[in-house]
Amino acid sequence: MTLSRVAGLRGAAVVWALVLLAAAATGWFLNSATFSDAVAFAHAARVAFSPGWGSTYADPWLQAGPLELLVCLLGTTLGVTARGAPIALNVIGAVAVLAVSAHLFGRRWKEVAFIGGGAIALGIISDMWEWGHPSELFIALVWLLAARAARDDRALLAGCLLGLSAGFETWGLLGAAVLFLLPRFRGTVAAGLVAVVTAAAFYAPFALAGDFHMFQLRWAVVGGVPAYLFGEGTTFSWTMRLGEAVVVVGFGSALALSMRGRVAAAIWLVPALTSVCRLLLDPVRYGYYWDTSLILLLIGVAPWLAAPRVVAAQLAAVLRRAPAPALVD
């Protein structure tokens, strides 16, 4: 084993230890349950594993997907106590961020450090418990992996990952735009079908059980473009959500097509900007909604922060209209 490899492994170990320690600290100090839905989601997960599982989605309020319920159940179970649950859930979020970052950057521990540290500093990790919606983080990470698979012409994997993101919350399917990073339209269609089938597999058992009311929820418009179009306080239905989805996916798809095969940063820019478009069109405004865009942008700019000289060289190459290597593989 070379000295550089040893140094890389040692650096990665230190980064993991510090980020996980910081994540645990956020759970210890920022453990208010005032706005957290994690406990309610964990309870719904217990219902899903009980003989009465068919009534899991009897209350329209529950918009969390089965995977999000499972993450919250895991956090509250590993945490054992009410004080330990925030620590466990935040650490789970940190592990997910570090694992995906390590998958992307390998032994380049500086990038992983910037991403992990940034996720702590921006409150992305603490939001895991504070708001109790792990989906904002997990969907972003899965979208990024799906975009990477699409870029590499792995249609089946891209479709499965996109469908997996919908298992956290149904809006994960808005990431369908990343499938247009596939080099051929036939692959995009095939991946889309795989994504729909995968997503349906998470919800079909509950829907077939007959006590499924997820799509009966109505939201009160409090901001964004819907407030300008319909006025604050008006009702926003699931039918209107479908209209929102068409616009968001249309925007993201056009962006992906314009970047496909030409912009290396497309694998994080497309999902990040698709998420921003979703926020602008959403009738409800919560701070944690930004976590999806923030973690994607953080992953995208981490190489610039870790290697400013390389960025300067790339910028010079662009100015000379010469090809430059991608920072994120």
Side-chain angles (χ1 to χ4, degrees):
M1 184 177 292
T2 63
L3 290 177
S4 61
R5 180 175 175 81
V6 172
L9 292 174
R10 183 178 300 171
V14 171
V15 168
W16 274 70
L18 290 177
V19 171
L20 293 179
L21 183 62
T26 64
W28 178 259
F29 293 108
L30 304 174
N31 55 22
S32 171
T34 302
F35 301 105
S36 183
D37 289 324
V39 174
F41 289 168
H43 173 72
R46 293 187 182 93
V47 173
F49 284 109
S50 73
W53 64 270
S55 62
T56 301
Y57 288 95
D59 187 343
W61 170 84
L62 185 61
Q63 296 292 303
L67 293 182
E68 185 167 38
L69 301 183
L70 187 61
V71 171
C72 290
L73 177 62
L74 181 62
T76 56
T77 301
L78 293 177
V80 181
T81 66
R83 195 66 189 274
I87 297 173
L89 196 56
N90 288 0
V91 168
I92 289 172
V95 168
V97 170
L98 291 170
V100 171
S101 300
H103 175 68
L104 293 172
F105 297 106
R107 297 194 301 272
R108 291 159 58 184
W109 60 267
K110 290 183 180 179
E111 284 88 342
V112 178
F114 277 113
I115 296 167
I120 296 289
L122 292 172
I124 297 171
I125 297 301
S126 60
D127 280 349
M128 285 282 292
W129 171 262
E130 283 290 287
W131 291 98
H133 284 252
S135 60
E136 312 301 320
L137 172 60
F138 279 84
I139 287 177
L141 297 176
V142 178
W143 276 3
L144 180 62
L145 296 176
R148 195 165 180 256
R151 180 204 62 184
D152 296 339
D153 197 16
R154 303 172 70 182
L156 179 59
L157 178 60
C160 287
L161 287 170
L162 180 62
L164 184 70
S165 74
F168 289 97
E169 285 196 19
T170 53
W171 62 264
L173 285 176
L174 296 180
V178 304
L179 300 183
F180 283 90
L181 293 175
L182 284 157
R184 291 176 294 277
F185 181 69
R186 182 175 60 184
T188 298
V189 173
L193 291 174
V194 171
V196 170
V197 171
T198 304
F202 287 108
Y203 299 95
F206 300 102
L208 294 174
D211 200 9
F212 186 82
H213 303 288
M214 173 184 278
F215 300 128
Q216 294 180 10
L217 183 66
R218 300 291 185 272
W219 293 265
V221 175
V222 297
V225 173
Y228 291 100
L229 295 177
F230 310 114
E232 292 189 10
T234 55
T235 298
F236 201 84
S237 67
W238 260 100
T239 301
M240 298 166 80
R241 285 283 188 191
L242 291 177
E244 174 192 352
V246 169
V247 176
V248 172
V249 175
F251 166 80
S253 300
L255 187 65
L257 286 171
S258 69
M259 293 183 172
R260 183 175 67 190
R262 296 191 302 169
V263 180
I267 64 169
W268 58 270
L269 269 177
V270 170
L273 295 180
T274 297
S275 177
V276 171
C277 181
R278 170 199 168 229
L279 294 179
L280 295 175
L281 297 179
D282 203 283
V284 184
R285 313 304 293 271
Y286 290 111
Y288 71 90
Y289 281 11
W290 285 99
D291 289 347
T292 303
S293 304
L294 286 175
I295 191 63
L296 288 165
L297 293 172
L298 186 59
I299 291 172
V301 303
W304 304 348
L305 300 174
R309 292 183 179 179
V310 175
V311 174
Q314 285 193 327
L315 180 59
V318 169
L319 294 176
R320 294 195 304 269
R321 296 186 180 278
L327 281 170
V328 181
D329 183 15

